[in-house]
Amino acid sequence: MTVIIEKFNIKSNGFDDVIDILPKLNESFLNTEFQNGLVNVYVKSSLSGLYMGKSEDFFKLNKFLDDITKTKDLSYNSEIYTLILNYKANFFKNSITLPVENRKILIDNQDRIFFVDFENSKKIKEIIVSMVN
């Protein structure tokens, strides 16, 4: 069994930023001899997460979370806003594991893999990709 670890960074704006990372994940295979096996994608942040699925499903879920956390009090402070972002972050995973065949992640053609950032600041985030064959 061989384990290969690749890393890449993405620039995140925070505040519910959503970035499709599937192209970057596919690029990470090109730098290695990895062909078939499992890939684990991990984000080192409790306020960031990953979502795999159809784009429209993700945006429906995010809108639903926005709707249930809305407040009529427009004077709430940054502490409350941070709590809302923390709450939303709990609905997403920090890690996903997927099968790979012939250097291609085996997901539905319409599915995407999104990085979602709920921190309240811009940062460069590191994504760790572990490949096992």
Side-chain angles (χ1 to χ4, degrees):
M1 176 170 57
T2 305
V3 178
I4 302 168
I5 297 177
E6 291 283 318
K7 299 176 183 181
F8 62 87
N9 293 325
I10 53 176
K11 293 179 183 177
S12 173
N13 291 322
F15 302 100
D16 280 345
D17 194 14
V18 179
I19 301 169
D20 181 358
I21 62 169
L22 186 56
K24 281 278 209 186
L25 289 173
N26 287 329
E27 281 179 31
S28 65
F29 301 134
L30 299 177
N31 300 328
T32 70
E33 295 179 18
F34 184 74
Q35 292 285 326
N36 303 303
L38 295 174
V39 64
N40 179 269
V41 184
Y42 176 72
V43 179
K44 295 192 311 184
S45 171
S46 62
L47 292 177
S48 299
L50 299 166
Y51 176 87
M52 188 198 75
K54 294 175 181 38
S55 299
E56 59 271 12
D57 292 343
F58 168 76
F59 290 108
K60 285 178 188 175
L61 172 61
N62 204 30
K63 183 182 179 329
F64 171 74
L65 293 173
D66 282 341
D67 289 345
I68 64 173
T69 56
K70 270 187 189 169
T71 177
K72 293 181 182 182
D73 178 11
L74 298 178
S75 67
Y76 62 86
N77 59 27
S78 63
E79 186 176 303
I80 298 297
Y81 184 70
T82 301
L83 286 173
I84 290 170
L85 290 174
N86 289 345
Y87 175 77
K88 287 178 68 173
N90 288 317
F91 287 89
F92 297 90
K93 301 173 189 168
N94 289 72
S95 172
I96 55 174
T97 302
L98 300 163
V100 175
E101 187 175 273
N102 297 321
R103 293 186 177 201
K104 184 162 174 83
I105 296 175
L106 297 179
I107 58 175
D108 187 275
N109 287 338
Q110 295 178 347
D111 285 352
R112 308 304 296 163
I113 299 173
F114 295 106
F115 165 82
V116 190
D117 191 1
F118 296 104
E119 288 197 38
N120 57 359
S121 63
K122 291 182 179 185
K123 287 188 180 173
I124 293 178
K125 296 292 183 132
E126 182 178 64
I127 309 292
I128 300 171
V129 182
S130 303
M131 302 166 235
V132 180
N133 62 359

